[in-house]
Amino acid sequence: MSQTPPIDSLETSANQPYHHGNLRLALINASVDIIRAQGVAGLSLRKLADAVGVSRTAPYHHFKDKDALLAAVASEGFSVLHKLLDQVSIEPNDPLNKILERSVMDYLNFAIKHPTEYELMFGAALWQDKQQAEFQRTAKDCFRQYVILFEKLQSSSKINTQESPLRLAQITWATLHGLARLASDGVFAQKEDIHSIAQTAISQLVITLRV
Amino acid sequence: MSQTPPIDSLETSANQPYHHGNLRLALINASVDIIRAQGVAGLSLRKLADAVGVSRTAPYHHFKDKDALLAAVASEGFSVLHKLLDQVSIEPNDPLNKILERSVMDYLNFAIKHPTEYELMFGAALWQDKQQAEFQRTAKDCFRQYVILFEKLQSSSKINTQESPLRLAQITWATLHGLARLASDGVFAQKEDIHSIAQTAISQLVITLRV
DNA sequence: CATTTATATAGACAGCGTCAAGATATGGTT
DNA sequence: AACCATATCTTGACGCTGTCTATATAAATG
């Protein structure tokens, strides 16, 4: 492509300087684009570098290896999820049903809208790799926020206190994760039915949570 | 169009004939070994061929490409799961709790024992690929067997009939799938707690299913 | 100014999936 | 038995990949 020789570069804003400016962020953003368009398998560091307009080895100054890049992308996903959970408000007059419905649908919509990122976030590769401790911390912080949701529901007497918030969070997240999987490619369900399935799941959940 | 178990070839380990005998099966078995030891990412067709003792391109006479091989491995996994579900017996005197407990633990134990195969089975790659229609059929047959479990539970009046067997199967499988994920690498849970978490989930499930 | 440090580059290498062309064995037909 | 189509296996080659090494340049520091 247009690889301008960097010697005595003109400093016009249109031209690329020798130093990119914020290559790390640009790489993550471009990775997300590629991953959404072609899946994780379709992402190669060389194509990525080309898309951003740098040499093949430039990314290695910002990420130890490809896995570190993927972990950064996945971390970004957990940050988005974290903010989503942060925004769940528990108004005193809101019925439990409504609160759960909003939260569940927010989560599922994220998974449905960005299935490849979602799979990357929860794939075993990044979770088993001891190198990706920071990613795992980001993910667990996100889950911690989810646990807090149940703490709030209990302290506002919206749900009973028979089970610990952590246990409730674990079980409901498990269901949520499975529903996300069902929603992705028609695994064991029609995509159109997801809303209805989630609704049924919520109804059943309310039965066991009600005070 | 599966199978090529042609002859009663006597060629044992010592002899290495030009034709392998049942290369297809040998490739699947060796793939499982490698995947269990080194993960799906650690499987290359070249190493695989080497392990089996054939040339790099020999596998292409039995599988269209690498994905087709992986689909065959995953199909094998669903067959195992299918047999597991087949063996779930519903005795008239068995309490619902016991039946569910056995089934759930069987499923989770499979996922815990072979996490990489499990992830391969439910990974998006094979489900989004139109080429792997046979794999998808095998998987759905397995799920169909799971639905039958709930049909039996209803017809033997172990559970209520407020929801369709399909819907119950979808929701409970979702939870099961999430629990399997929790159990795999300590995602949002300690591995030691899985049994306890599953127990709680079952208890809650019984509440909503009871007649 | 000089020098250290951060960032970007080209070159090289082994490993990968897989296509193409050729070799050999097997099973079915005559 | 002889023949041949077909299934099976082989070597060779190609382009793509992740990533190491050595080198060049810009920016930061003092």
Side-chain angles (χ1 to χ4, degrees):
Chain A
M1 314 287 261
S2 60
Q3 204 73 334
T4 56
I7 303 175
D8 190 36
S9 61
L10 308 172
E11 294 294 334
T12 66
S13 55
N15 257 354
Q16 303 277 8
Y18 191 83
H19 282 61
H20 180 280
N22 198 345
L23 183 53
R24 188 190 145 88
L25 188 62
L27 286 170
I28 291 179
N29 289 337
S31 295
V32 169
D33 288 346
I34 295 176
I35 285 173
R36 285 183 186 172
Q38 324 197 80
V40 178
L43 174 70
S44 85
L45 287 187
R46 298 166 105 106
K47 283 196 296 185
L48 173 63
D50 214 48
V52 174
V54 294
S55 74
R56 322 190 260 337
T57 50
Y60 285 88
H61 292 273
H62 299 271
F63 301 99
K64 184 185 171 296
D65 54 22
K66 190 179 183 180
D67 279 340
L69 201 226
L70 292 177
V73 171
S75 291
E76 209 58 34
F78 273 109
S79 295
V80 173
L81 222 48
H82 194 127
K83 276 176 201 146
L84 228 66
L85 289 169
D86 233 350
Q87 287 169 1
V88 175
S89 62
I90 302 181
E91 306 299 332
N93 291 337
D94 271 4
L96 177 59
N97 219 314
K98 287 292 169 204
I99 297 171
L100 290 177
E101 202 172 308
R102 277 203 310 265
S103 311
V104 167
M105 291 310 165
D106 278 357
Y107 187 97
L108 289 183
N109 282 336
F110 174 86
I112 291 170
K113 204 168 177 186
H114 308 300
T116 53
E117 283 159 273
Y118 185 87
E119 184 164 31
L120 179 64
M121 288 162 64
F122 291 105
L126 297 179
W127 284 93
Q128 283 173 344
D129 190 347
K130 289 225 167 198
Q131 303 269 37
Q132 317 304 339
E134 191 184 336
F135 153 78
Q136 290 159 19
R137 236 177 290 120
T138 303
K140 282 176 180 168
D141 281 352
C142 176
F143 183 69
R144 173 74 193 131
Q145 190 66 25
Y146 184 64
V147 178
I148 287 176
L149 179 61
F150 285 91
E151 289 174 353
K152 285 182 184 169
L153 285 172
Q154 282 189 339
S155 64
S156 64
S157 298
K158 296 266 185 199
I159 64 174
N160 66 50
T161 55
Q162 286 169 22
E163 296 292 338
S164 74
L166 174 62
R167 193 99 328 163
L168 289 176
Q170 288 167 328
I171 293 173
T172 57
W173 175 83
T175 306
L176 226 36
H177 182 66
L179 290 177
R181 188 75 202 86
L182 283 176
S184 282
D185 345 271
V187 175
F188 301 163
Q190 308 287 340
K191 284 187 186 180
E192 312 85 64
D193 294 344
I194 293 300
H195 193 274
S196 158
I197 295 172
Q199 203 63 55
T200 306
I202 292 170
S203 300
Q204 294 191 349
L205 184 61
V206 169
I207 293 174
T208 64
L209 290 185
R210 191 173 279 145
V211 282
Chain B
M1 47 163 67
S2 46
Q3 130 279 17
T4 35
I7 14 153
D8 51 336
S9 55
L10 294 172
E11 46 239 22
T12 43
S13 53
N15 231 352
Q16 289 218 1
Y18 193 82
H19 283 62
H20 180 281
N22 197 345
L23 184 53
R24 188 191 146 89
L25 188 62
L27 287 170
I28 291 179
N29 290 337
S31 294
V32 169
D33 289 344
I34 294 176
I35 285 173
R36 286 183 185 171
Q38 322 194 37
V40 178
L43 174 71
S44 84
L45 286 187
R46 297 166 105 107
K47 284 195 297 187
L48 173 64
D50 213 46
V52 174
V54 294
S55 74
R56 318 188 238 43
T57 51
Y60 285 87
H61 293 271
H62 299 271
F63 302 98
K64 183 185 171 295
D65 53 23
K66 192 180 184 181
D67 279 340
L69 201 226
L70 292 177
V73 171
S75 290
E76 209 58 35
F78 274 109
S79 295
V80 173
L81 222 48
H82 195 127
K83 276 179 202 142
L84 228 65
L85 289 170
D86 234 351
Q87 286 168 2
V88 175
S89 62
I90 302 181
E91 305 299 333
N93 291 336
D94 271 3
L96 177 60
N97 217 316
K98 287 291 168 207
I99 297 172
L100 290 177
E101 203 172 309
R102 276 203 312 265
S103 311
V104 166
M105 291 310 165
D106 279 357
Y107 188 97
L108 290 183
N109 282 336
F110 174 86
I112 291 169
K113 204 169 178 186
H114 308 301
T116 53
E117 282 158 275
Y118 185 87
E119 185 164 30
L120 179 64
M121 288 162 65
F122 291 105
L126 298 179
W127 283 93
Q128 283 173 346
D129 191 347
K130 289 225 167 197
Q131 302 269 37
Q132 316 305 339
E134 190 183 336
F135 154 77
Q136 291 159 17
R137 236 177 290 121
T138 304
K140 283 177 180 169
D141 281 351
C142 176
F143 182 69
R144 173 73 192 130
Q145 190 66 25
Y146 185 63
V147 178
I148 288 175
L149 180 59
F150 286 90
E151 289 174 353
K152 286 184 186 165
L153 286 172
Q154 283 189 339
S155 64
S156 64
S157 297
K158 297 267 184 198
I159 64 175
N160 67 50
T161 54
Q162 285 168 23
E163 295 292 340
S164 73
L166 174 61
R167 192 93 338 156
L168 289 175
Q170 288 167 328
I171 293 173
T172 57
W173 175 84
T175 306
L176 225 38
H177 182 66
L179 289 176
R181 190 72 202 89
L182 283 176
S184 281
D185 342 274
V187 174
F188 302 162
Q190 308 287 342
K191 284 189 188 180
E192 312 84 65
D193 294 344
I194 293 301
H195 194 273
S196 158
I197 294 172
Q199 202 63 53
T200 305
I202 293 170
S203 300
Q204 294 191 349
L205 183 62
V206 168
I207 292 174
T208 64
L209 291 185
R210 192 172 280 143
V211 283

